[in-house]
Amino acid sequence: MSYSTADSLRPVTLDDVRGAQKMLAGVARVTAMEGSRHLTQLVGSPVHFKCENLQRTGSFKLRGAYVRIAGLLPEERAAGVVAASAGNHAQGVALASALLGVRSTVFMPKGAPLPKISATKEYGAEVRLHGHVVDETLAAAQEYAHETGAVFIHPFDHPDIIAGQGTVGLEILDQCPEVRTIVVGIGGGGLAAGVAVAVKALRPDVRIVGVQAAGAAAFPPSLAAGRPVSIQHPATMADGIKVGRPGDVPFGIVADLVDEVRTVTENELSTALLLCLERAKLVVEPAGASPVAALLSDPRSFEGPVVALLSGGNVDPLLLQRILRHGMSAQGRYLAVTLRLTDRPGALATLLGVLSVVDANVLDVSHVRTDPRLGLTEVEVELHLETKGPVHCAEVGQALRDAGYTVID
């Protein structure tokens, strides 16, 4: 690392966060606070969205990156900075560096979405593609820092990063002074730690709930062990919170100040993203939708007013398409069904007639005739249907069986 151990482990205070807020004036937006009527009805008290998906670069990451780079010594700035990221941190570092006149190099995985690579370049960074997973990319960035003297800008494990992210907490208290619960997604822990430092210093009565994806939940075992521990092969669609080990600095703060850490499933994440898009008209990435997923999974367990922190909106269009289909399926609004029928003229028209009677809208049809599992006169048909909920899905399946079709899946 380019910073000393003493510097990286110094405590983060309310004064640090307030100093970061002054530094970010005119740089980071004071993002909007929007009410959610749908979630308010579910929770039974007011629910608001803190819309960091509308922040410059599309996420909260600009806040911490700017504060960290602005705090470098002149000789450190002259050496440039380097970061590793699959998206949000990359863009935050790139823009912060450009605003401060610092040369930046960002290492990104080879499979990073093209829109994120393009955006990072457009913000002014030199992008280097290395590795297929973030750990490989991170190692390459740290090696580059060692070889060139560039300052490595960690995405979450530094007090300046945490102080910058904590400015979101100050804004929440200004915009919703009556707040009782703040729900925030957790990856490495920088955002949750910063919000907790700011909020608990001013309003210790406010409950802070962290949310992790169940397939990438390193905090629950770490909190149980009393120290950061690694999990093997974190897996989730929510790239922004897919971190295998909590940061040392944020972990201590989260352990002391965050009241609870919950986990949510992939179905809950996709359903939450769909709700944000349909009901709130907000494009939110899976990590940013994690607080909404937690609210949907157990709405009556949150004391209101509640603020759900939508941390980012940078989602690849191709991934968004898959997630929306996944979310619709989880709600029973999309059904993929595979069945077999006799391969003869008019067979498909008869099948579609059955679906028409039960009011299922056909989105796509595909035929398979050459699979060795099939008989000589059989064809396998896969249908993608638009449906109206779980009950309607069951009705469609039953209508197909009643009509004599063999439903495979």
Side-chain angles (χ1 to χ4, degrees):
M1 299 295 180
S2 298
Y3 48 81
S4 68
T5 301
D7 182 51
S8 65
L9 294 178
R10 62 180 165 82
V12 184
T13 67
L14 176 62
D15 286 342
D16 293 326
V17 180
R18 283 177 166 160
Q21 188 176 46
K22 292 178 181 178
M23 192 179 295
L24 288 167
V27 175
R29 294 172 181 152
V30 177
T31 50
M33 183 84 73
E34 298 288 345
S36 171
R37 186 164 61 93
H38 179 72
L39 285 175
T40 293
Q41 292 173 343
L42 290 178
V43 172
S45 58
V47 175
H48 306 279
F49 292 149
K50 175 59 173 170
C51 300
E52 280 296 287
N53 58 311
L54 303 179
Q55 183 58 261
R56 296 177 72 178
T57 76
S59 87
F60 71 96
K61 288 288 190 177
L62 172 65
R63 297 173 183 263
Y66 188 91
V67 173
R68 173 77 174 104
I69 298 170
L72 296 178
L73 299 172
E75 58 268 28
E76 291 177 316
R77 291 197 190 193
V81 300
V82 60
S85 168
N88 288 348
H89 182 58
Q91 294 173 67
V93 168
L95 179 56
S97 299
L99 293 172
L100 291 163
V102 177
R103 185 179 70 257
S104 63
T105 303
V106 176
F107 285 76
M108 303 181 76
K110 292 180 179 178
L114 290 178
K116 294 184 178 181
I117 295 173
S118 297
T120 303
K121 289 179 178 179
E122 289 172 8
Y123 287 128
E126 177 190 348
V127 174
R128 300 192 179 192
L129 301 180
H130 185 93
H132 296 282
V133 295
V134 174
D135 286 344
E136 296 172 352
T137 309
L138 181 63
Q142 290 173 323
E143 182 179 354
Y144 177 90
H146 178 73
E147 292 174 351
T148 65
V151 179
F152 179 69
I153 307 299
H154 199 284
F156 49 81
D157 205 11
H158 192 277
D160 289 345
I161 296 287
I162 293 170
Q165 321 304 30
T167 58
V168 182
L170 295 180
E171 290 178 17
I172 289 173
L173 293 183
D174 285 341
Q175 293 170 312
C176 185
E178 67 278 13
V179 63
R180 297 293 299 170
T181 305
I182 297 173
V183 192
V184 55
I186 300 185
L191 178 61
V195 169
V197 167
V199 172
K200 289 292 189 178
L202 296 169
R203 288 280 307 281
D205 60 302
V206 173
R207 184 171 179 80
I208 299 177
V209 178
V211 184
Q212 292 207 286
F219 262 92
S222 296
L223 292 170
R227 57 180 175 80
V229 298
S230 299
I231 60 170
Q232 298 300 313
H233 311 300
T236 174
M237 69 175 76
D239 286 345
I241 53 175
K242 190 170 78 172
V243 178
R245 182 185 183 278
D248 292 327
V249 182
F251 174 77
I253 297 171
V254 170
D256 288 342
L257 299 180
V258 172
D259 297 282
E260 180 186 1
V261 175
R262 301 187 181 193
T263 62
V264 292
T265 67
E266 300 298 283
N267 274 354
E268 288 165 343
L269 284 169
S270 57
T271 299
L273 188 149
L274 184 61
L275 182 142
C276 289
L277 187 62
E278 287 191 323
R279 298 297 182 93
K281 316 307 177 190
L282 292 169
V283 176
V284 181
E285 63 190 87
S290 59
V292 179
L295 288 168
L296 289 173
S297 68
D298 192 6
R300 294 291 174 170
S301 65
F302 293 89
E303 181 184 0
V306 178
V307 172
L309 206 170
L310 309 182
S311 58
N314 292 319
V315 56
D316 178 58
L318 294 176
L319 176 62
L320 178 61
Q321 184 180 31
R322 295 197 297 269
I323 292 171
L324 292 178
R325 182 168 289 185
H326 191 270
M328 291 178 68
S329 178
Q331 291 185 339
R333 296 166 55 189
Y334 176 88
L335 177 64
V337 59
T338 302
L339 47 82
R340 290 179 186 172
L341 61 154
T342 302
D343 190 10
R344 58 176 175 76
L348 182 59
T350 302
L351 170 61
L352 296 179
V354 173
L355 295 172
S356 176
V357 171
V358 290
D359 203 22
N361 186 33
V362 179
L363 301 175
D364 188 39
V365 180
S366 63
H367 294 74
V368 175
R369 288 186 170 86
T370 57
D371 194 302
R373 298 172 302 162
L374 299 174
L376 290 175
T377 60
E378 285 185 320
V379 61
E380 192 168 275
V381 177
E382 182 178 338
L383 299 161
H384 292 188
L385 308 173
E386 183 180 4
T387 47
K388 301 175 182 178
V391 174
H392 190 212
C393 287
E395 290 174 353
V396 171
Q398 190 59 51
L400 291 171
R401 294 184 182 89
D402 290 345
Y405 293 103
T406 302
V407 178
I408 308 301
D409 183 20

